[in-house]
Amino acid sequence: MEEVIKIEGKHALEGTVRISGSKNATVALIPAAILANGPVTICGVPEISDVQSLSVLLRDLGVLVDIRSSDTIVIDPTSMENRPLVQDAVNKLRASYYFMGALLGKYGHVEIKMPGGCYLGPRPIDLHLKGFEALGAEIRYDHGSYILDAPQLTGTKIFLDIASVGATINIMMAAVHAKGRTTIENAAKEPEIIDVATLLNKMGANIRGAGTNVITIDGVDQLAGCFHEIIPDRIEAATYIVLAAAAAKEVRIDNIIPHHLEALLSKLKEIGTDLEIGVDNVVIRASRDLKAADIKTLPYPGFATDIQQPLTALLTQAQGQSIVTETIYTERFKHCQELNKMGAAAEAAHTAATATATGVTGGMTVAQTALNAVMNLCPIILIVTLIAGLIADGVTTIHNIYHIERGYEHIDEKLTALGAKIWRETVE
């Protein structure tokens, strides 16, 4: 038996939706909190399964975790012990690698199983490991686990070959207790990095330059507890903006930071979307005669790789041919075959996909996907199906909904409030 989500298409969306706290920030902020020597209160936490997986790992370390309300978590590492993280929860999400930097920074020793996560093509953690080695850590790989040792971390200059978000955050966390100054050059600039640096600075760290390509960290001896509110989720915001552009009569999206969404919003204006941008919201109205546009994903502040797939679904409704070029994760085009099953014409090459103006016309079942394995489905691929289902004729069935719940809080409830006809069923 399996729970699925079903969507009946052709129901115009209308109303207001509020965006949750950033998932990508949350999964780094929670491990970062263990660097404190007192309780850390984080609010704006999204209700997603990744938070539960991280909470399991925290409790395995002896950290007290108190989820006080639907969006507030208190993390108290006062009685924490540095234990090996080799349990199955490590394999459930890639973000478990942030415990490498946090534990190395706090204790000088880490033993952790190889992190898991979605398969999007090669995503090695070599940059993380090189950064830790530059700070003075010795690294071994033994029976599926990394073992890192550093009697004393020492600040140094680190140049990242690729502006990696994960490596930037991980090295930053390891360096907060290092002796002297650490400089990260060619650092990633994503808003989530600024959010993690803000938390660490509230705790007493000395980090400057987050959000630029050069970050400096002057090591400190102690970090204290604090209160922190997570930034809005720019990927969730972008998803609702795109699905509203595809299926809305009029939808207002609240709790956003428009600056974080400039690449998407400017592209939507280019294709002819009717939108009105406020201080912390955007209103999307029904748009006709959308025009084709070319998209190229780039590191922030460029067009986000996480939103190229949903936008491809929208571009199947545009007049003309659009070319989408993926430069971050070269295998992120599995959604094209799913759109084609629903009547679109989206053709994937090795490094680029082309979506034409052929409309989406039929329902599909994700369980019949040609993907190599069900566990390789990521939230965004299912979101593409969901967006297509909103504009398709008939009923679309989405299986493996656990993957949506990993990254999107109460998505069926939020869409129902907007007038979508979406429900859950248990099937064999």
Side-chain angles (χ1 to χ4, degrees), residues 212-232:
T212 75
N213 62 355
V214 179
I215 298 175
T216 60
I217 306 107
D218 289 316
V220 297
D221 294 329
Q222 297 289 329
L223 294 176
C226 69
F227 175 88
H228 182 75
E229 183 174 2
I230 300 171
I231 59 173

Side-chain angles (χ1 to χ4, degrees), residues 237-252:
T239 300
Y240 279 97
I241 289 169
V242 170
L243 67 84
K249 180 178 179 182
E250 180 171 314
V251 170
R252 176 185 168 114

Side-chain angles (χ1 to χ4, degrees), residues 18 20 236 240 409-418:
R18 181 175 175 82
S20 306
E236 185 192 20
Y240 279 97
E409 180 183 42
H410 306 315
I411 190 163
D412 45 345
E413 296 174 20
K414 289 183 177 181
L415 287 174
T416 297
L418 292 176

Side-chain angles (χ1 to χ4, degrees), residues 211-396:
T212 75
N213 62 355
V214 179
I215 298 175
T216 60
I217 306 107
D218 289 316
V220 297
D221 294 329
Q222 297 289 329
L223 294 176
C226 69
F227 175 88
H228 182 75
E229 183 174 2
I230 300 171
I231 59 173
D233 194 310
R234 62 192 174 96
I235 303 305
E236 185 192 20
T239 300
Y240 279 97
I241 289 169
V242 170
L243 67 84
K249 180 178 179 182
E250 180 171 314
V251 170
R252 176 185 168 114
I253 300 155
D254 282 339
N255 192 37
I256 70 169
I257 300 177
H259 176 69
H260 293 172
L261 299 160
E262 282 184 353
L264 171 64
L265 294 173
S266 64
K267 189 59 64 174
L268 289 176
K269 288 180 181 177
E270 180 183 334
I271 70 174
T273 305
D274 184 351
L275 56 85
E276 181 181 338
I277 303 170
V279 175
D280 61 356
N281 64 80
V282 61
V283 177
I284 310 288
R285 299 182 181 88
S287 306
R288 294 179 176 82
D289 301 323
L290 296 179
K291 299 173 292 184
D294 293 344
I295 309 294
K296 184 176 183 179
T297 65
L298 291 167
Y300 185 85
F303 196 93
T305 178
D306 290 305
I307 207 61
Q308 69 90 346
Q309 292 165 304
L311 191 65
T312 302
L314 176 63
L315 290 174
T316 65
Q317 307 304 298
Q319 297 297 318
Q321 187 178 83
S322 300
I323 298 175
V324 181
T325 303
E326 175 62 64
T327 70
I328 311 297
Y329 297 131
T330 57
E331 297 194 22
R332 210 167 206 171
F333 288 112
K334 293 183 174 73
H335 61 294
C336 292
Q337 59 191 344
E338 306 310 315
L339 289 172
N340 290 342
K341 290 178 185 178
M342 301 178 73
E347 180 181 352
H350 180 62
T351 58
T354 300
T356 69
T358 304
V360 175
T361 57
M364 64 171 277
T365 302
V366 177
Q368 296 171 349
T369 175
L371 295 181
N372 292 330
V374 171
M375 289 306 294
N376 283 343
L377 284 171
C378 284
I380 293 292
I381 294 181
L382 300 184
I383 289 297
V384 172
T385 309
L386 189 149
I387 293 172
L390 290 169
I391 55 180
D393 291 321
V395 175
T396 299

Side-chain angles (χ1 to χ4, degrees), residues 57-65 76-81 83:
L57 296 179
L58 289 175
R59 292 187 177 104
D60 286 342
L61 292 167
V63 177
L64 296 177
V65 180
D76 186 354
T78 305
S79 302
M80 178 180 171
E81 296 180 16
R83 301 167 183 161

Side-chain angles (χ1 to χ4, degrees), residues 184-220:
I184 306 173
E185 298 185 348
N186 195 33
K189 304 174 185 178
E190 274 75 356
E192 294 77 19
I193 295 169
I194 301 173
D195 209 29
V196 175
T198 299
L199 171 73
L200 293 171
N201 282 339
K202 287 178 180 178
M203 291 160 58
N206 189 352
I207 301 170
R208 297 184 301 280
T212 75
N213 62 355
V214 179
I215 298 175
T216 60
I217 306 107
D218 289 316
V220 297

